[in-house]
Amino acid sequence: MINRLFERLDDFLRDQGYRAQKRQIIDGKYCQGSDTAKQPQGKSADQEGNQPEGWGQNGKRQKNTDARWTRKDNKNFFGYKNHISVDVKHKYIRRYDVTPANIHDSNVFDELLDPRNSSHAVWADIGLSLAGNARPAERERVPGTSSTKGNRTRSRIRSRVGHIFGLQVQRAGNLILRGIGIVRATGKIGLRNLAYNLDRYGTLCVVHR
């Protein structure tokens, strides 16, 4: 239902003249899982979802078996990840996906691509600048430049995604997913992304009035 609402809002935005334009940016943000449902590190389910020995049915019900541990900036983190695709011109979230926290953006890259963006160029934090046709089979991968000017350009463009995550925190605080399971996590994160687009639409309506 939330996915359908998100798609209907995106159609509405395009009808209002906010077509996805000037490239797209792909990035992700961790969403913390509930402390009470954490799995101890080293005792969590493996990548195939197999449970550790000694976990009974009651134990499984109390553990967030879909969430995963990961490590970033020398800190351990448990939960999920909100992957988003944003158009550079209007800064709307055009597509999103929710995964366990240990899944890198590159693993959901193709699902996040917006084929309706006027530009096929993509900025993403996967060690490459990506350009070419939105269809994966025809996409050209171009190594990122290491020049100071190139780094500044990439940083300026990708900071637009950071603004989105920052605004979500400013409006509603840090998201802690207290429910168990990726279905509930996806629903809550989807609503958060939907609310951002509604808020962004209101802002742009005032700016363009």
Side-chain angles (χ1 to χ4, degrees):
M1 176 63 72
I2 295 171
N3 285 338
R4 290 199 294 270
L5 289 173
F6 192 90
E7 291 170 0
R8 287 186 64 181
L9 177 59
D10 192 55
D11 289 338
F12 170 80
L13 295 175
R14 294 174 191 274
D15 291 341
Q16 298 303 306
Y18 297 111
R19 294 187 305 110
Q21 294 176 284
K22 293 187 176 180
R23 302 188 178 191
Q24 49 193 304
I25 314 168
I26 290 176
D27 206 350
K29 179 177 176 60
Y30 297 123
C31 298
Q32 182 179 338
S34 172
D35 288 341
T36 59
K38 279 185 179 179
Q39 306 168 31
Q41 285 185 276
K43 294 184 179 180
S44 59
D46 60 23
Q47 298 294 340
E48 288 74 36
N50 299 314
Q51 308 298 329
E53 293 183 7
W55 276 18
Q57 289 300 320
N58 290 334
K60 292 178 183 179
R61 293 191 189 101
Q62 302 302 318
K63 296 298 181 182
N64 204 338
T65 57
D66 290 335
R68 294 289 185 274
W69 285 96
T70 190
R71 189 170 180 84
K72 183 177 177 65
D73 298 330
N74 295 320
K75 294 182 180 179
N76 296 323
F77 184 89
F78 177 81
Y80 298 92
K81 194 170 185 180
N82 179 21
H83 309 264
I84 63 174
S85 174
V86 180
D87 72 293
V88 170
K89 182 171 182 179
H90 300 299
K91 210 161 74 171
Y92 283 115
I93 299 174
R94 300 294 179 172
R95 289 190 172 188
Y96 71 92
D97 199 357
V98 177
T99 68
N102 64 333
I103 301 300
H104 193 272
D105 296 336
S106 60
N107 292 324
V108 293
F109 184 83
D110 292 333
E111 290 87 342
L112 292 172
L113 285 175
D114 180 10
R116 295 195 288 182
N117 194 298
S118 63
S119 171
H120 291 153
V122 182
W123 291 98
D125 186 19
I126 59 175
L128 292 172
S129 295
L130 297 155
N133 196 293
R135 286 177 292 182
E138 300 179 8
R139 192 184 315 116
E140 179 184 1
R141 296 174 179 258
V142 183
T145 175
S146 60
S147 68
T148 301
K149 182 178 179 181
N151 288 335
R152 278 200 299 264
T153 299
R154 286 195 299 277
S155 177
R156 175 175 55 82
I157 292 176
R158 293 192 65 249
S159 68
R160 296 177 72 81
V161 178
H163 295 161
I164 292 174
F165 293 136
L167 185 63
Q168 287 181 328
V169 172
Q170 180 183 356
R171 292 285 193 266
N174 285 311
L175 179 61
I176 299 178
L177 299 165
R178 303 192 183 281
I180 294 177
I182 196 168
V183 174
R184 292 184 176 92
T186 300
K188 292 181 178 180
I189 292 172
L191 283 174
R192 196 175 178 92
N193 292 336
L194 181 69
Y196 164 80
N197 277 356
L198 286 168
D199 184 85
R200 179 66 178 165
Y201 174 69
T203 299
L204 291 182
C205 283
V206 172
V207 170
H208 298 154
R209 181 176 297 171

